[in-house]
PDB file of all heavy atoms in Angstrom:
ATOM      1  N   ALA W 183      20.180   4.666   9.493  1.00  0.00           N
ATOM      2  CA  ALA W 183      20.699   4.983  10.852  1.00  0.00           C
ATOM      3  C   ALA W 183      19.835   4.578  11.920  1.00  0.00           C
ATOM      4  O   ALA W 183      20.404   4.274  13.160  1.00  0.00           O
ATOM      5  CB  ALA W 183      21.221   6.504  10.829  1.00  0.00           C
ATOM      6  N   VAL W 184      18.598   4.633  11.786  1.00  0.00           N
ATOM      7  CA  VAL W 184      17.670   4.234  12.899  1.00  0.00           C
ATOM      8  C   VAL W 184      16.830   2.888  12.731  1.00  0.00           C
ATOM      9  O   VAL W 184      16.075   2.462  13.698  1.00  0.00           O
ATOM     10  CB  VAL W 184      16.652   5.314  13.111  1.00  0.00           C
ATOM     11  CG1 VAL W 184      17.393   6.719  13.179  1.00  0.00           C
ATOM     12  CG2 VAL W 184      15.618   5.414  12.025  1.00  0.00           C
ATOM     13  N   SER W 185      17.131   2.283  11.716  1.00  0.00           N
ATOM     14  CA  SER W 185      16.338   1.006  11.291  1.00  0.00           C
ATOM     15  C   SER W 185      16.672  -0.105  12.481  1.00  0.00           C
ATOM     16  O   SER W 185      17.766  -0.341  12.822  1.00  0.00           O
ATOM     17  CB  SER W 185      16.821   0.467   9.933  1.00  0.00           C
ATOM     18  OG  SER W 185      16.165  -0.829   9.678  1.00  0.00           O
ATOM     19  N   GLY W 186      15.620  -0.584  12.910  1.00  0.00           N
ATOM     20  CA  GLY W 186      15.699  -1.673  13.913  1.00  0.00           C
ATOM     21  C   GLY W 186      15.654  -1.011  15.331  1.00  0.00           C
ATOM     22  O   GLY W 186      15.451  -1.769  16.346  1.00  0.00           O
ATOM     23  N   ARG W 187      15.891   0.350  15.534  1.00  0.00           N
ATOM     24  CA  ARG W 187      15.725   0.958  16.683  1.00  0.00           C
ATOM     25  C   ARG W 187      14.474   1.979  16.963  1.00  0.00           C
ATOM     26  O   ARG W 187      14.178   2.056  18.070  1.00  0.00           O
ATOM     27  CB  ARG W 187      17.076   1.771  17.041  1.00  0.00           C
ATOM     28  CG  ARG W 187      18.336   1.038  16.994  1.00  0.00           C
ATOM     29  CD  ARG W 187      19.532   1.783  17.334  1.00  0.00           C
ATOM     30  NE  ARG W 187      19.818   2.880  16.449  1.00  0.00           N
ATOM     31  CZ  ARG W 187      19.736   4.215  16.628  1.00  0.00           C
ATOM     32  NH1 ARG W 187      19.430   4.572  17.919  1.00  0.00           N
ATOM     33  NH2 ARG W 187      20.030   5.069  15.597  1.00  0.00           N
ATOM     34  N   PHE W 188      14.153   2.441  15.796  1.00  0.00           N
ATOM     35  CA  PHE W 188      13.022   3.389  15.882  1.00  0.00           C
ATOM     36  C   PHE W 188      11.768   2.745  15.330  1.00  0.00           C
ATOM     37  O   PHE W 188      11.813   1.979  14.494  1.00  0.00           O
ATOM     38  CB  PHE W 188      13.258   4.731  15.224  1.00  0.00           C
ATOM     39  CG  PHE W 188      14.254   5.561  15.916  1.00  0.00           C
ATOM     40  CD1 PHE W 188      15.083   5.096  16.931  1.00  0.00           C
ATOM     41  CD2 PHE W 188      14.300   6.873  15.387  1.00  0.00           C
ATOM     42  CE1 PHE W 188      16.038   6.000  17.462  1.00  0.00           C
ATOM     43  CE2 PHE W 188      15.381   7.729  15.991  1.00  0.00           C
ATOM     44  CZ  PHE W 188      16.112   7.312  16.975  1.00  0.00           C
ATOM     45  N   THR W 189      10.437   3.122  15.943  1.00  0.00           N
ATOM     46  CA  THR W 189       9.292   2.655  15.302  1.00  0.00           C
ATOM     47  C   THR W 189       8.324   3.757  15.341  1.00  0.00           C
ATOM     48  O   THR W 189       8.050   4.434  16.276  1.00  0.00           O
ATOM     49  CB  THR W 189       8.702   1.465  16.207  1.00  0.00           C
ATOM     50  OG1 THR W 189       9.626   0.365  16.383  1.00  0.00           O
ATOM     51  CG2 THR W 189       7.418   0.919  15.727  1.00  0.00           C
ATOM     52  N   ILE W 190       7.669   4.001  14.155  1.00  0.00           N
ATOM     53  CA  ILE W 190       6.664   4.968  14.103  1.00  0.00           C
ATOM     54  C   ILE W 190       5.355   4.286  14.071  1.00  0.00           C
ATOM     55  O   ILE W 190       5.075   3.310  13.502  1.00  0.00           O
ATOM     56  CB  ILE W 190       6.890   5.708  12.701  1.00  0.00           C
ATOM     57  CG1 ILE W 190       5.983   6.953  12.495  1.00  0.00           C
ATOM     58  CG2 ILE W 190       6.705   4.763  11.434  1.00  0.00           C
ATOM     59  CD1 ILE W 190       6.226   7.750  11.343  1.00  0.00           C
ATOM     60  N   SER W 191       4.350   5.019  14.687  1.00  0.00           N
ATOM     61  CA  SER W 191       3.001   4.554  14.710  1.00  0.00           C
ATOM     62  C   SER W 191       2.017   5.671  14.909  1.00  0.00           C
ATOM     63  O   SER W 191       2.429   6.777  15.191  1.00  0.00           O
ATOM     64  CB  SER W 191       2.860   3.597  15.945  1.00  0.00           C
ATOM     65  OG  SER W 191       3.038   4.145  17.090  1.00  0.00           O
ATOM     66  N   ARG W 192       0.809   5.443  14.721  1.00  0.00           N
ATOM     67  CA  ARG W 192      -0.156   6.526  14.823  1.00  0.00           C
ATOM     68  C   ARG W 192      -1.390   5.850  15.460  1.00  0.00           C
ATOM     69  O   ARG W 192      -1.909   4.831  15.133  1.00  0.00           O
ATOM     70  CB  ARG W 192      -0.465   7.134  13.461  1.00  0.00           C
ATOM     71  CG  ARG W 192      -1.566   8.109  13.479  1.00  0.00           C
ATOM     72  CD  ARG W 192      -1.756   8.829  12.178  1.00  0.00           C
ATOM     73  NE  ARG W 192      -2.677  10.012  12.263  1.00  0.00           N
ATOM     74  CZ  ARG W 192      -2.795  10.835  11.296  1.00  0.00           C
ATOM     75  NH1 ARG W 192      -2.296  10.664  10.085  1.00  0.00           N
ATOM     76  NH2 ARG W 192      -3.574  11.792  11.400  1.00  0.00           N
ATOM     77  N   ASP W 193      -2.027   6.641  16.451  1.00  0.00           N
ATOM     78  CA  ASP W 193      -3.240   6.309  16.983  1.00  0.00           C
ATOM     79  C   ASP W 193      -4.209   7.186  16.383  1.00  0.00           C
ATOM     80  O   ASP W 193      -4.458   8.288  16.784  1.00  0.00           O
ATOM     81  CB  ASP W 193      -3.173   6.455  18.641  1.00  0.00           C
ATOM     82  CG  ASP W 193      -4.450   6.126  19.396  1.00  0.00           C
ATOM     83  OD1 ASP W 193      -5.468   6.119  18.692  1.00  0.00           O
ATOM     84  OD2 ASP W 193      -4.255   5.741  20.514  1.00  0.00           O
ATOM     85  N   ASN W 194      -5.011   6.648  15.518  1.00  0.00           N
ATOM     86  CA  ASN W 194      -5.962   7.414  14.800  1.00  0.00           C
ATOM     87  C   ASN W 194      -7.013   7.943  15.660  1.00  0.00           C
ATOM     88  O   ASN W 194      -7.534   9.084  15.379  1.00  0.00           O
ATOM     89  CB  ASN W 194      -6.563   6.530  13.676  1.00  0.00           C
ATOM     90  CG  ASN W 194      -5.578   6.365  12.495  1.00  0.00           C
ATOM     91  OD1 ASN W 194      -4.740   7.150  12.202  1.00  0.00           O
ATOM     92  ND2 ASN W 194      -5.536   5.081  12.041  1.00  0.00           N
ATOM     93  N   ALA W 195      -7.475   7.195  16.623  1.00  0.00           N
ATOM     94  CA  ALA W 195      -8.539   7.656  17.425  1.00  0.00           C
ATOM     95  C   ALA W 195      -8.163   8.884  18.320  1.00  0.00           C
ATOM     96  O   ALA W 195      -8.951   9.784  18.486  1.00  0.00           O
ATOM     97  CB  ALA W 195      -9.010   6.503  18.443  1.00  0.00           C
ATOM     98  N   LYS W 196      -6.845   8.903  18.611  1.00  0.00           N
ATOM     99  CA  LYS W 196      -6.390  10.054  19.522  1.00  0.00           C
ATOM    100  C   LYS W 196      -5.693  11.034  18.685  1.00  0.00           C
ATOM    101  O   LYS W 196      -5.242  12.064  19.155  1.00  0.00           O
ATOM    102  CB  LYS W 196      -5.497   9.410  20.673  1.00  0.00           C
ATOM    103  CG  LYS W 196      -6.212   8.649  21.639  1.00  0.00           C
ATOM    104  CD  LYS W 196      -5.174   8.120  22.681  1.00  0.00           C
ATOM    105  CE  LYS W 196      -5.917   7.217  23.595  1.00  0.00           C
ATOM    106  NZ  LYS W 196      -4.939   6.710  24.802  1.00  0.00           N
ATOM    107  N   ASN W 197      -5.603  10.845  17.343  1.00  0.00           N
ATOM    108  CA  ASN W 197      -4.807  11.697  16.474  1.00  0.00           C
ATOM    109  C   ASN W 197      -3.396  11.997  17.090  1.00  0.00           C
ATOM    110  O   ASN W 197      -2.913  13.127  17.049  1.00  0.00           O
ATOM    111  CB  ASN W 197      -5.613  13.000  16.322  1.00  0.00           C
ATOM    112  CG  ASN W 197      -6.948  12.844  15.667  1.00  0.00           C
ATOM    113  OD1 ASN W 197      -6.997  12.155  14.561  1.00  0.00           O
ATOM    114  ND2 ASN W 197      -8.049  13.443  16.153  1.00  0.00           N
ATOM    115  N   ILE W 198      -2.751  11.043  17.401  1.00  0.00           N
ATOM    116  CA  ILE W 198      -1.408  11.088  17.973  1.00  0.00           C
ATOM    117  C   ILE W 198      -0.399  10.215  17.113  1.00  0.00           C
ATOM    118  O   ILE W 198      -0.611   9.146  16.949  1.00  0.00           O
ATOM    119  CB  ILE W 198      -1.321  10.757  19.460  1.00  0.00           C
ATOM    120  CG1 ILE W 198      -2.137  11.735  20.225  1.00  0.00           C
ATOM    121  CG2 ILE W 198       0.127  10.774  19.877  1.00  0.00           C
ATOM    122  CD1 ILE W 198      -2.153  11.413  21.716  1.00  0.00           C
ATOM    123  N   LEU W 199       0.626  10.940  16.667  1.00  0.00           N
ATOM    124  CA  LEU W 199       1.693  10.184  15.840  1.00  0.00           C
ATOM    125  C   LEU W 199       2.852   9.957  16.904  1.00  0.00           C
ATOM    126  O   LEU W 199       3.228  10.973  17.600  1.00  0.00           O
ATOM    127  CB  LEU W 199       2.150  10.984  14.744  1.00  0.00           C
ATOM    128  CG  LEU W 199       3.365  10.456  13.935  1.00  0.00           C
ATOM    129  CD1 LEU W 199       3.022   9.144  13.148  1.00  0.00           C
ATOM    130  CD2 LEU W 199       3.904  11.618  13.001  1.00  0.00           C
ATOM    131  N   SER W 200       3.385   8.754  17.017  1.00  0.00           N
ATOM    132  CA  SER W 200       4.479   8.437  17.941  1.00  0.00           C
ATOM    133  C   SER W 200       5.699   8.041  17.265  1.00  0.00           C
ATOM    134  O   SER W 200       5.641   7.425  16.177  1.00  0.00           O
ATOM    135  CB  SER W 200       4.041   7.542  18.927  1.00  0.00           C
ATOM    136  OG  SER W 200       2.826   7.973  19.580  1.00  0.00           O
ATOM    137  N   LEU W 201       6.755   8.235  17.857  1.00  0.00           N
ATOM    138  CA  LEU W 201       8.017   7.675  17.423  1.00  0.00           C
ATOM    139  C   LEU W 201       8.834   7.059  18.690  1.00  0.00           C
ATOM    140  O   LEU W 201       9.205   7.773  19.488  1.00  0.00           O
ATOM    141  CB  LEU W 201       9.038   8.717  16.796  1.00  0.00           C
ATOM    142  CG  LEU W 201      10.353   8.208  16.306  1.00  0.00           C
ATOM    143  CD1 LEU W 201      10.115   7.245  15.147  1.00  0.00           C
ATOM    144  CD2 LEU W 201      11.161   9.496  15.929  1.00  0.00           C
ATOM    145  N   GLN W 202       8.791   5.805  18.650  1.00  0.00           N
ATOM    146  CA  GLN W 202       9.438   5.002  19.722  1.00  0.00           C
ATOM    147  C   GLN W 202      10.948   4.920  19.364  1.00  0.00           C
ATOM    148  O   GLN W 202      11.342   4.356  18.304  1.00  0.00           O
ATOM    149  CB  GLN W 202       8.783   3.715  20.054  1.00  0.00           C
ATOM    150  CG  GLN W 202       9.450   2.858  21.169  1.00  0.00           C
ATOM    151  CD  GLN W 202       8.788   1.615  21.449  1.00  0.00           C
ATOM    152  OE1 GLN W 202       7.704   1.327  20.858  1.00  0.00           O
ATOM    153  NE2 GLN W 202       9.476   0.835  22.211  1.00  0.00           N
ATOM    154  N   MET W 203      11.735   5.404  20.229  1.00  0.00           N
ATOM    155  CA  MET W 203      13.191   5.440  19.934  1.00  0.00           C
ATOM    156  C   MET W 203      13.948   4.500  21.079  1.00  0.00           C
ATOM    157  O   MET W 203      13.881   4.942  22.190  1.00  0.00           O
ATOM    158  CB  MET W 203      13.777   6.847  19.993  1.00  0.00           C
ATOM    159  CG  MET W 203      13.068   7.659  18.968  1.00  0.00           C
ATOM    160  SD  MET W 203      13.857   9.268  18.897  1.00  0.00           S
ATOM    161  CE  MET W 203      13.449   9.970  20.576  1.00  0.00           C
ATOM    162  N   ASN W 204      14.424   3.397  20.589  1.00  0.00           N
ATOM    163  CA  ASN W 204      15.170   2.603  21.548  1.00  0.00           C
ATOM    164  C   ASN W 204      16.660   2.487  21.247  1.00  0.00           C
ATOM    165  O   ASN W 204      17.142   2.862  20.108  1.00  0.00           O
ATOM    166  CB  ASN W 204      14.638   1.129  21.473  1.00  0.00           C
ATOM    167  CG  ASN W 204      13.222   0.957  21.967  1.00  0.00           C
ATOM    168  OD1 ASN W 204      12.813   1.683  22.863  1.00  0.00           O
ATOM    169  ND2 ASN W 204      12.460   0.169  21.234  1.00  0.00           N
ATOM    170  N   ASP W 205      17.504   2.127  22.238  1.00  0.00           N
ATOM    171  CA  ASP W 205      18.918   1.966  22.053  1.00  0.00           C
ATOM    172  C   ASP W 205      19.495   3.328  21.382  1.00  0.00           C
ATOM    173  O   ASP W 205      20.272   3.289  20.390  1.00  0.00           O
ATOM    174  CB  ASP W 205      19.307   0.866  21.070  1.00  0.00           C
ATOM    175  CG  ASP W 205      20.824   0.437  21.184  1.00  0.00           C
ATOM    176  OD1 ASP W 205      21.545   0.866  22.130  1.00  0.00           O
ATOM    177  OD2 ASP W 205      21.241  -0.119  20.086  1.00  0.00           O
ATOM    178  N   LEU W 206      19.231   4.480  21.920  1.00  0.00           N
ATOM    179  CA  LEU W 206      19.599   5.649  21.475  1.00  0.00           C
ATOM    180  C   LEU W 206      21.147   5.801  21.414  1.00  0.00           C
ATOM    181  O   LEU W 206      21.825   5.447  22.365  1.00  0.00           O
ATOM    182  CB  LEU W 206      19.003   6.855  22.285  1.00  0.00           C
ATOM    183  CG  LEU W 206      17.484   6.984  21.907  1.00  0.00           C
ATOM    184  CD1 LEU W 206      16.747   7.796  23.064  1.00  0.00           C
ATOM    185  CD2 LEU W 206      17.257   7.691  20.672  1.00  0.00           C
ATOM    186  N   LYS W 207      21.584   6.632  20.460  1.00  0.00           N
ATOM    187  CA  LYS W 207      23.049   6.752  20.269  1.00  0.00           C
ATOM    188  C   LYS W 207      23.296   8.318  20.373  1.00  0.00           C
ATOM    189  O   LYS W 207      22.348   9.127  20.104  1.00  0.00           O
ATOM    190  CB  LYS W 207      23.486   6.263  18.851  1.00  0.00           C
ATOM    191  CG  LYS W 207      23.110   4.807  18.652  1.00  0.00           C
ATOM    192  CD  LYS W 207      23.769   3.860  19.539  1.00  0.00           C
ATOM    193  CE  LYS W 207      23.368   2.468  19.141  1.00  0.00           C
ATOM    194  NZ  LYS W 207      24.139   1.469  20.056  1.00  0.00           N
ATOM    195  N   PRO W 208      24.461   8.775  20.634  1.00  0.00           N
ATOM    196  CA  PRO W 208      24.824  10.203  20.552  1.00  0.00           C
ATOM    197  C   PRO W 208      24.378  10.798  19.315  1.00  0.00           C
ATOM    198  O   PRO W 208      23.980  12.005  19.228  1.00  0.00           O
ATOM    199  CB  PRO W 208      26.328  10.152  20.979  1.00  0.00           C
ATOM    200  CG  PRO W 208      26.583   9.013  21.805  1.00  0.00           C
ATOM    201  CD  PRO W 208      25.523   7.890  21.157  1.00  0.00           C
ATOM    202  N   GLY W 209      24.696   9.994  18.121  1.00  0.00           N
ATOM    203  CA  GLY W 209      24.389  10.607  16.881  1.00  0.00           C
ATOM    204  C   GLY W 209      22.826  10.810  16.637  1.00  0.00           C
ATOM    205  O   GLY W 209      22.483  11.536  15.651  1.00  0.00           O
ATOM    206  N   ASP W 210      21.989  10.438  17.491  1.00  0.00           N
ATOM    207  CA  ASP W 210      20.543  10.619  17.408  1.00  0.00           C
ATOM    208  C   ASP W 210      20.137  11.998  17.938  1.00  0.00           C
ATOM    209  O   ASP W 210      19.032  12.480  17.848  1.00  0.00           O
ATOM    210  CB  ASP W 210      19.730   9.536  18.119  1.00  0.00           C
ATOM    211  CG  ASP W 210      19.907   8.185  17.557  1.00  0.00           C
ATOM    212  OD1 ASP W 210      19.941   8.104  16.225  1.00  0.00           O
ATOM    213  OD2 ASP W 210      19.997   7.198  18.370  1.00  0.00           O
ATOM    214  N   THR W 211      21.214  12.640  18.602  1.00  0.00           N
ATOM    215  CA  THR W 211      20.920  13.851  19.178  1.00  0.00           C
ATOM    216  C   THR W 211      20.516  14.952  18.108  1.00  0.00           C
ATOM    217  O   THR W 211      21.235  15.152  17.139  1.00  0.00           O
ATOM    218  CB  THR W 211      22.178  14.466  20.053  1.00  0.00           C
ATOM    219  OG1 THR W 211      22.444  13.651  21.078  1.00  0.00           O
ATOM    220  CG2 THR W 211      21.901  15.999  20.359  1.00  0.00           C
ATOM    221  N   ALA W 212      19.217  15.511  18.216  1.00  0.00           N
ATOM    222  CA  ALA W 212      18.832  16.539  17.296  1.00  0.00           C
ATOM    223  C   ALA W 212      17.517  16.954  17.724  1.00  0.00           C
ATOM    224  O   ALA W 212      16.872  16.517  18.747  1.00  0.00           O
ATOM    225  CB  ALA W 212      18.602  15.725  15.934  1.00  0.00           C
ATOM    226  N   MET W 213      17.083  17.899  17.052  1.00  0.00           N
ATOM    227  CA  MET W 213      15.670  18.405  17.159  1.00  0.00           C
ATOM    228  C   MET W 213      14.754  17.591  16.170  1.00  0.00           C
ATOM    229  O   MET W 213      15.023  17.362  15.059  1.00  0.00           O
ATOM    230  CB  MET W 213      15.538  20.036  16.785  1.00  0.00           C
ATOM    231  CG  MET W 213      14.080  20.499  16.881  1.00  0.00           C
ATOM    232  SD  MET W 213      13.725  20.657  18.655  1.00  0.00           S
ATOM    233  CE  MET W 213      14.737  22.156  19.011  1.00  0.00           C
ATOM    234  N   TYR W 214      13.762  17.051  16.759  1.00  0.00           N
ATOM    235  CA  TYR W 214      12.801  16.146  16.071  1.00  0.00           C
ATOM    236  C   TYR W 214      11.553  16.785  15.749  1.00  0.00           C
ATOM    237  O   TYR W 214      10.911  17.366  16.646  1.00  0.00           O
ATOM    238  CB  TYR W 214      12.665  14.909  16.859  1.00  0.00           C
ATOM    239  CG  TYR W 214      13.718  13.862  16.860  1.00  0.00           C
ATOM    240  CD1 TYR W 214      14.969  14.192  17.488  1.00  0.00           C
ATOM    241  CD2 TYR W 214      13.701  12.710  16.131  1.00  0.00           C
ATOM    242  CE1 TYR W 214      15.990  13.347  17.484  1.00  0.00           C
ATOM    243  CE2 TYR W 214      14.795  11.929  16.068  1.00  0.00           C
ATOM    244  CZ  TYR W 214      15.830  12.071  16.791  1.00  0.00           C
ATOM    245  OH  TYR W 214      17.026  11.216  16.796  1.00  0.00           O
ATOM    246  N   TYR W 215      11.093  16.595  14.504  1.00  0.00           N
ATOM    247  CA  TYR W 215       9.834  17.228  13.900  1.00  0.00           C
ATOM    248  C   TYR W 215       9.007  16.163  13.317  1.00  0.00           C
ATOM    249  O   TYR W 215       9.401  15.333  12.764  1.00  0.00           O
ATOM    250  CB  TYR W 215      10.237  18.336  12.871  1.00  0.00           C
ATOM    251  CG  TYR W 215      11.164  19.408  13.307  1.00  0.00           C
ATOM    252  CD1 TYR W 215      12.606  19.262  13.234  1.00  0.00           C
ATOM    253  CD2 TYR W 215      10.705  20.700  13.782  1.00  0.00           C
ATOM    254  CE1 TYR W 215      13.513  20.180  13.601  1.00  0.00           C
ATOM    255  CE2 TYR W 215      11.559  21.608  14.002  1.00  0.00           C
ATOM    256  CZ  TYR W 215      12.930  21.445  13.952  1.00  0.00           C
ATOM    257  OH  TYR W 215      13.783  22.391  14.407  1.00  0.00           O
ATOM    258  N   CYS W 216       7.665  16.402  13.608  1.00  0.00           N
ATOM    259  CA  CYS W 216       6.799  15.648  12.959  1.00  0.00           C
ATOM    260  C   CYS W 216       6.243  16.428  11.803  1.00  0.00           C
ATOM    261  O   CYS W 216       6.206  17.661  11.801  1.00  0.00           O
ATOM    262  CB  CYS W 216       5.584  15.170  13.774  1.00  0.00           C
ATOM    263  SG  CYS W 216       4.606  16.518  14.490  1.00  0.00           S
ATOM    264  N   ALA W 217       5.840  15.872  10.694  1.00  0.00           N
ATOM    265  CA  ALA W 217       5.479  16.527   9.529  1.00  0.00           C
ATOM    266  C   ALA W 217       4.319  15.664   8.799  1.00  0.00           C
ATOM    267  O   ALA W 217       4.323  14.465   8.938  1.00  0.00           O
ATOM    268  CB  ALA W 217       6.634  16.777   8.453  1.00  0.00           C
ATOM    269  N   ALA W 218       3.409  16.378   8.016  1.00  0.00           N
ATOM    270  CA  ALA W 218       2.450  15.724   7.351  1.00  0.00           C
ATOM    271  C   ALA W 218       2.366  16.214   5.942  1.00  0.00           C
ATOM    272  O   ALA W 218       2.555  17.417   5.622  1.00  0.00           O
ATOM    273  CB  ALA W 218       1.046  16.010   8.106  1.00  0.00           C
ATOM    274  N   SER W 219       2.065  15.270   5.025  1.00  0.00           N
ATOM    275  CA  SER W 219       1.710  15.760   3.652  1.00  0.00           C
ATOM    276  C   SER W 219       0.439  15.083   3.148  1.00  0.00           C
ATOM    277  O   SER W 219      -0.056  14.094   3.525  1.00  0.00           O
ATOM    278  CB  SER W 219       2.916  14.995   2.826  1.00  0.00           C
ATOM    279  OG  SER W 219       2.489  15.185   1.469  1.00  0.00           O
ATOM    280  N   TRP W 220      -0.323  16.098   2.423  1.00  0.00           N
ATOM    281  CA  TRP W 220      -1.554  15.548   1.910  1.00  0.00           C
ATOM    282  C   TRP W 220      -1.487  14.717   0.584  1.00  0.00           C
ATOM    283  O   TRP W 220      -2.417  14.381   0.072  1.00  0.00           O
ATOM    284  CB  TRP W 220      -2.438  16.968   1.672  1.00  0.00           C
ATOM    285  CG  TRP W 220      -1.843  18.008   0.913  1.00  0.00           C
ATOM    286  CD1 TRP W 220      -1.275  19.036   1.388  1.00  0.00           C
ATOM    287  CD2 TRP W 220      -1.797  18.061  -0.512  1.00  0.00           C
ATOM    288  NE1 TRP W 220      -0.858  19.822   0.299  1.00  0.00           N
ATOM    289  CE2 TRP W 220      -1.106  19.188  -0.802  1.00  0.00           C
ATOM    290  CE3 TRP W 220      -2.188  17.210  -1.644  1.00  0.00           C
ATOM    291  CZ2 TRP W 220      -0.861  19.586  -2.136  1.00  0.00           C
ATOM    292  CZ3 TRP W 220      -1.974  17.535  -2.885  1.00  0.00           C
ATOM    293  CH2 TRP W 220      -1.273  18.760  -3.120  1.00  0.00           C
ATOM    294  N   SER W 221      -0.267  14.759   0.058  1.00  0.00           N
ATOM    295  CA  SER W 221      -0.169  14.011  -1.288  1.00  0.00           C
ATOM    296  C   SER W 221      -0.465  12.590  -1.105  1.00  0.00           C
ATOM    297  O   SER W 221       0.194  11.863  -0.269  1.00  0.00           O
ATOM    298  CB  SER W 221       1.384  14.182  -1.739  1.00  0.00           C
ATOM    299  OG  SER W 221       1.529  13.492  -2.862  1.00  0.00           O
ATOM    300  N   ARG W 222      -1.352  12.067  -1.992  1.00  0.00           N
ATOM    301  CA  ARG W 222      -1.605  10.685  -1.987  1.00  0.00           C
ATOM    302  C   ARG W 222      -0.574   9.870  -2.775  1.00  0.00           C
ATOM    303  O   ARG W 222      -0.673   8.576  -2.717  1.00  0.00           O
ATOM    304  CB  ARG W 222      -2.990  10.534  -2.628  1.00  0.00           C
ATOM    305  CG  ARG W 222      -4.194  10.608  -1.713  1.00  0.00           C
ATOM    306  CD  ARG W 222      -4.199  11.834  -0.972  1.00  0.00           C
ATOM    307  NE  ARG W 222      -5.451  11.894  -0.057  1.00  0.00           N
ATOM    308  CZ  ARG W 222      -5.616  12.899   0.815  1.00  0.00           C
ATOM    309  NH1 ARG W 222      -4.746  13.827   0.916  1.00  0.00           N
ATOM    310  NH2 ARG W 222      -6.698  12.993   1.682  1.00  0.00           N
ATOM    311  N   TYR W 223       0.402  10.394  -3.328  1.00  0.00           N
ATOM    312  CA  TYR W 223       1.326   9.816  -4.068  1.00  0.00           C
ATOM    313  C   TYR W 223       2.723   9.934  -3.260  1.00  0.00           C
ATOM    314  O   TYR W 223       3.782   9.465  -3.970  1.00  0.00           O
ATOM    315  CB  TYR W 223       1.527  10.452  -5.505  1.00  0.00           C
ATOM    316  CG  TYR W 223       0.284  10.419  -6.294  1.00  0.00           C
ATOM    317  CD1 TYR W 223      -0.593  11.461  -6.298  1.00  0.00           C
ATOM    318  CD2 TYR W 223      -0.013   9.277  -6.994  1.00  0.00           C
ATOM    319  CE1 TYR W 223      -1.862  11.325  -7.005  1.00  0.00           C
ATOM    320  CE2 TYR W 223      -1.247   9.137  -7.823  1.00  0.00           C
ATOM    321  CZ  TYR W 223      -2.086  10.228  -7.760  1.00  0.00           C
ATOM    322  OH  TYR W 223      -3.319  10.088  -8.478  1.00  0.00           O
ATOM    323  N   LEU W 224       2.766  10.389  -2.266  1.00  0.00           N
ATOM    324  CA  LEU W 224       4.018  10.506  -1.499  1.00  0.00           C
ATOM    325  C   LEU W 224       4.826   9.276  -1.421  1.00  0.00           C
ATOM    326  O   LEU W 224       6.004   9.223  -1.761  1.00  0.00           O
ATOM    327  CB  LEU W 224       3.756  11.009  -0.070  1.00  0.00           C
ATOM    328  CG  LEU W 224       5.039  11.445   0.828  1.00  0.00           C
ATOM    329  CD1 LEU W 224       5.607  12.782   0.445  1.00  0.00           C
ATOM    330  CD2 LEU W 224       4.670  11.395   2.294  1.00  0.00           C
ATOM    331  N   CYS W 225       4.274   8.189  -0.933  1.00  0.00           N
ATOM    332  CA  CYS W 225       5.029   6.920  -0.672  1.00  0.00           C
ATOM    333  C   CYS W 225       5.168   6.302  -1.972  1.00  0.00           C
ATOM    334  O   CYS W 225       6.279   5.601  -2.165  1.00  0.00           O
ATOM    335  CB  CYS W 225       4.160   6.100   0.147  1.00  0.00           C
ATOM    336  SG  CYS W 225       3.964   6.656   1.902  1.00  0.00           S
ATOM    337  N   ALA W 226       4.327   6.372  -2.884  1.00  0.00           N
ATOM    338  CA  ALA W 226       4.383   5.640  -4.194  1.00  0.00           C
ATOM    339  C   ALA W 226       5.543   6.266  -4.999  1.00  0.00           C
ATOM    340  O   ALA W 226       6.280   5.692  -5.918  1.00  0.00           O
ATOM    341  CB  ALA W 226       3.182   5.790  -5.061  1.00  0.00           C
ATOM    342  N   SER W 227       5.879   7.560  -4.837  1.00  0.00           N
ATOM    343  CA  SER W 227       6.975   8.212  -5.472  1.00  0.00           C
ATOM    344  C   SER W 227       8.205   8.330  -4.577  1.00  0.00           C
ATOM    345  O   SER W 227       9.102   8.964  -4.945  1.00  0.00           O
ATOM    346  CB  SER W 227       6.587   9.720  -5.909  1.00  0.00           C
ATOM    347  OG  SER W 227       6.114  10.468  -4.710  1.00  0.00           O
TER     348      SER W 227
END
């Protein structure tokens, strides 16, 4: 639903995770949360 419109990035030096959201739609209305996982297999799985 957000492919091509949103971009995730991280500034490691500043320890800031960002989500750039372009061409927003009414369906994007929501509470947005950032989350972290220590699992090293998260993406592989």
